[in-house]
Amino acid sequence: MRVSDLENLGFTRITDGDGDLKHGYTCDLLSEVMAKAESDTVWFTVQSHVNVVAVAAITGIRAIVLCNGHEFDEETIKKATDEKISLFTTPLNAFEAGGKLYSKGLK
Amino acid sequence: MEKVDDLIKRVQFYFREVAVEEFMTSPVFTIRQEQATVRAKEAMRLRRFSGIPVVNEKEQLVGIISIEDIIHALENGDLNAPISQNMTRNVVTLSKKELIVDVAKKFELHGFGRFPVIDEKKRVIGIVTQHDLITLLLSKLSILYVHDARRESFVHVENYRSIPTGINLKEEISEFQFSIDYMDVSLAGTGASELKKFLLSKGFSPEFVKRVAIATYEAETNVVIHSGSTGIINVYFKYGVLIVRVEDYGKGIEDVDMAMREGYSTAPDYIREMGFGAGMGLANIKRCADKMMIISEPGKGVVVEMNFWGHENESIRS
């Protein structure tokens, strides 16, 4: 699966970027994400502040899907553009959003 | 022993107010001067001492008998002579009120392995060895924590007295430096992200860099959330080991032992709502770094030193 496939699944794209996705990860505790998420991951969270970009850049997360209809901070969008991290939003909760990708074969 | 002296020098800033009575071994095993030297030899063998203070009938210190003295006695066939004949009379002593800085100086100056501690009547009330200086002091205050991946396989206990790299970082030029001069928690990790880019540009492998970046992120975030002050990240590469040192000048850690526990955090609620403060930071550092050392004392800031080297199936260069 590729980052661009997220658009076809109904997630709203906020910043550019593409690449292979091999894993998905759902969590709102940043240290937990740092510790457990693998590279080439799409991350489902409700955290929208700019630090999620740093977490993604360090961990090798390619795309962040912000759930429950939350919106990203301006600063987060700017930083994600710089770091080439793809941001998406969705009104779905993290369980529903992750389930969409899981059923498409992403583990 | 040089390494121990080095360590003492490096940490003495944090401990300079600590007095001898707080870390000496007490009570102390002594031996009477009129006893045969062979008794001292047996006591050393059984108790694994390398030296014993010698006292007179009033329990006053008159000398010290060391393994060297025993060897001399053996050479001269004097093992049955009284200890007073074979002991070293010129003993450097400590008083219980002396500060650790002075003790460190005495170790350096005299090169002895141990110093008896005496009271005003010259009675032996304790002894300080270099070993005491490290173990007792550090474990008692629990303000220096060391995790070493190499030790874990054969020592299954946390240890508070491993010796950090003997490299004097003051004399080394930092290859990468980043000032943690912001207080906004949402910016945490800026330095770690910069470091990641820097290391990748220097040809380190992505897997290796990820470990370094995660550990640095956690240490940097701790400075921003907990120190209430600014800090600095310095990176050195020496003898195949990457050393990341994150220092702050803030309020310090009250109890390092507690802070190391996974899930324990002192972060306020608003920080937790942002997804920080899960109490995983130090645990994450420990998991990523091959060796970590924390030095802290309330009010005197925190130094986190992390060492990284390549694992069996991980090359550090790409």
Side-chain angles (χ1 to χ4, degrees), chain A residues 31 34-36 58, chain B residues 147 149 207-218 280-292 306-309 311 314:
Chain A
S31 281
M34 302 277 292
K36 309 278 168 59
I58 288 164
Chain B
H147 155 74
E207 312 87 74
F208 182 73
V209 173
K210 185 171 170 179
R211 282 203 288 132
V212 177
I214 290 175
T216 308
Y217 170 92
E218 296 289 7
M280 297 236 336
L282 292 177
N284 257 358
I285 296 177
K286 187 177 145 188
R287 194 179 51 82
C288 292
D290 297 301
K291 184 170 183 176
M292 78 185 276
M306 303 169 285
N307 295 357
F308 304 86
W309 50 82
H311 291 175
E314 174 201 77

Side-chain angles (χ1 to χ4, degrees), chain B residues 81-92:
Chain B
I83 291 171
S84 55
Q85 209 173 302
N86 288 312
M87 70 187 181
T88 304
R89 287 176 187 276
N90 178 21
V91 187
V92 181

Side-chain angles (χ1 to χ4, degrees), chain B residues 34-170:
Chain B
E34 65 271 17
Q35 293 202 293
T37 306
V38 66
R39 294 283 291 273
K41 179 187 79 85
E42 278 307 291
M44 285 186 198
R45 188 175 66 82
L46 293 171
R47 294 167 187 260
R48 295 173 182 276
F49 290 149
S50 56
I52 304 173
V54 183
V55 295
N56 63 16
E57 66 289 349
K58 289 178 187 154
E59 295 292 314
Q60 292 168 314
L61 182 76
V62 291
I64 203 160
I65 185 141
S66 68
I67 286 181
E68 289 93 326
D69 297 325
I70 299 285
I71 292 170
H72 283 299
L74 270 170
E75 282 171 351
N76 301 332
D78 275 349
L79 270 190
N80 290 316
I83 291 171
S84 55
Q85 209 173 302
N86 288 312
M87 70 187 181
T88 304
R89 287 176 187 276
N90 178 21
V91 187
V92 181
T93 58
L94 301 171
S95 77
K96 64 179 184 181
K97 292 292 173 204
E98 269 181 270
L99 296 182
I100 189 164
V101 204
D102 306 312
V103 179
K105 272 188 202 137
K106 282 189 175 173
F107 271 115
E108 199 173 283
L109 204 65
H110 303 284
F112 295 155
R114 68 206 67 76
F115 295 109
V117 184
I118 56 169
D119 64 11
E120 59 288 343
K121 288 185 177 139
K122 280 199 81 177
R123 285 176 309 209
V124 186
I125 53 171
I127 195 160
V128 173
T129 61
Q130 301 209 359
H131 184 258
D132 287 329
L133 215 56
I134 310 297
T135 36
L136 278 169
L137 178 62
L138 302 183
S139 64
K140 189 169 173 180
L141 302 178
S142 83
I143 58 181
L144 183 127
Y145 172 88
V146 179
H147 155 74
D148 190 330
R150 287 171 304 185
R151 285 168 169 269
E152 253 186 5
S153 52
F154 52 95
V155 185
H156 294 284
V157 288
E158 295 298 356
N159 93 78
Y160 287 87
R161 57 185 184 88
S162 167
I163 296 159
T165 29
I167 307 166
N168 184 353
L169 296 179
K170 287 252 151 52

Side-chain angles (χ1 to χ4, degrees), chain A residues 27-30 33 43-53 55 64-68 70-73 76 87-88, chain B residues 270-276:
Chain A
C27 188
D28 297 318
L29 288 177
L30 305 182
V33 177
W43 172 26
F44 300 90
T45 181
V46 294
Q47 300 293 354
S48 58
H49 56 81
V50 67
N51 199 261
V52 296
V53 180
V55 171
I64 304 171
V65 178
L66 183 61
C67 303
N68 291 357
H70 290 289
E71 282 179 26
F72 284 110
D73 301 347
T76 310
L87 300 183
F88 293 86
Chain B
Y270 81 94
I271 292 283
R272 290 173 196 253
E273 278 163 21
M274 293 172 80
F276 297 100

Side-chain angles (χ1 to χ4, degrees), chain B residues 178-183 220 223-224 227-233 246-251 301-302:
Chain B
F178 180 88
S179 287
I180 310 170
D181 54 3
Y182 54 87
M183 304 289 229
E220 184 183 2
V223 172
V224 182
S227 78
S229 97
T230 58
I232 192 155
I233 303 173
V246 181
E247 288 173 70
D248 70 58
Y249 317 104
K251 62 180 190 231
V302 181

